[in-house]
Amino acid sequence: MNILENDVEKILVSKERIAEIVDDMAKRISEDYKDKNLLLLCILKGSVVFFSDLMRKITLPMEIDFMKVASYGKGSTSTGNVRILLDLHREDFSNEDILIVEDIIDSGRTLSTLVEYLKMKGCRSVRTCTLLDKPGRREVPFTPDYAGEVIPDEFVIGYGLDYAEKYRELPYVGVLKPSVYMK
Ligand code: PRP
């Protein structure tokens, strides 16, 4: 057992449930993109675990790529700006059907900004999928095209999600004990 598991209050989405979500989403994506030119886009770092599971279950040819973004003033409600730390580079985006893969949607600012940004670059289509959706935290309206589990407003970690850069390697999504972040 990973010693970090002592900090987990409860398991919210088990690894078995995650596998079901991944299978189901991959099937839908494989059907929906069979006549498209799929570019699966991983938003670092949180979505890397979900992304690597999902890409191996999609039964279509695809390209993969990566972006890294950070919100200005994360945690505050006053700003919606998103900083691009690693960008996507292409001569021409007009042949790309981009599917953005996220681990979680919280305020909605990251994905609403990214979708607009990629459309502005001239992508043929831009859609989104997320493992977790926390609609209770929305600051801007945003509905993903594919969503795994709708979750309450709890402090979740694991399966890519971190607290202070830790817990990403846990194989499930868990709720962190408040004693860990109240220190
Ligand atoms: C998380 C998550 C999304 C974003 C969602 O990333 O991976 O990218 O926040 O939040 P929003 O809907 O409020 O914009 P984070 O900034 O924690 O970085 P990380 O993925 O590197 O952990």
Side-chain angles (χ1 to χ4, degrees):
M1 182 175 134
N2 187 324
I3 193 169
L4 291 177
E5 297 196 54
N6 293 326
D7 295 344
V8 177
E9 187 167 83
K10 64 175 178 197
I11 294 178
L12 196 62
V13 192
S14 67
K15 61 180 184 181
E16 292 78 16
R17 175 68 191 133
I18 292 172
E20 277 174 18
I21 292 170
V22 170
D23 278 354
D24 179 60
M25 208 181 277
K27 270 193 199 114
R28 291 173 55 207
I29 292 167
S30 301
E31 185 58 32
D32 295 350
Y33 280 79
K34 62 181 181 229
D35 298 320
K36 298 183 190 293
N37 183 36
L38 176 60
L39 171 55
L40 203 64
L41 179 61
C42 176
I43 308 304
L44 297 169
K45 303 175 194 172
S47 82
V48 72
V49 183
F50 177 48
F51 181 87
S52 67
D53 281 347
L54 187 67
M55 67 176 276
R56 286 177 290 171
K57 292 284 181 176
I58 296 173
T59 53
L60 291 175
M62 72 180 80
E63 243 188 89
I64 63 165
D65 220 323
F66 301 86
M67 285 183 77
K68 185 165 165 56
V69 298
S71 310
Y72 288 111
K74 184 112 184 161
S76 86
T77 52
S78 58
T79 176
N81 293 330
V82 170
R83 221 167 359 139
I84 294 175
L85 304 177
L86 174 67
D87 205 350
L88 201 55
H89 297 283
R90 293 283 188 289
E91 286 277 308
D92 178 15
F93 284 85
S94 63
N95 205 28
E96 307 291 352
D97 294 304
I98 295 195
L99 182 57
I100 305 174
V101 180
E102 268 289 23
D103 50 335
I104 189 164
I105 307 178
D106 201 337
S107 72
R109 294 189 185 280
T110 302
L111 275 183
S112 59
T113 306
L114 266 179
V115 167
E116 283 318 302
Y117 177 73
L118 291 165
K119 283 184 176 164
M120 201 184 68
K121 280 180 176 280
C123 299
R124 186 164 55 198
S125 67
V126 184
R127 302 180 84 199
T128 57
C129 72
T130 186
L131 174 68
L132 306 171
D133 192 2
K134 250 192 204 178
R137 295 268 301 182
R138 272 314 183 282
E139 293 169 18
V140 296
F142 190 87
T143 306
D145 297 288
Y146 307 88
E149 199 90 335
V150 172
I151 59 165
D153 186 12
E154 296 196 271
F155 203 131
V156 285
I157 44 85
Y159 198 69
L161 291 110
D162 75 308
Y163 168 63
E165 296 299 331
K166 294 200 301 190
Y167 307 100
R168 295 190 196 272
E169 69 272 34
L170 298 185
Y172 50 75
V173 176
V175 176
L176 195 59
K177 285 182 182 162
S179 56
V180 176
Y181 53 87
M182 305 287 256
K183 272 176 196 164

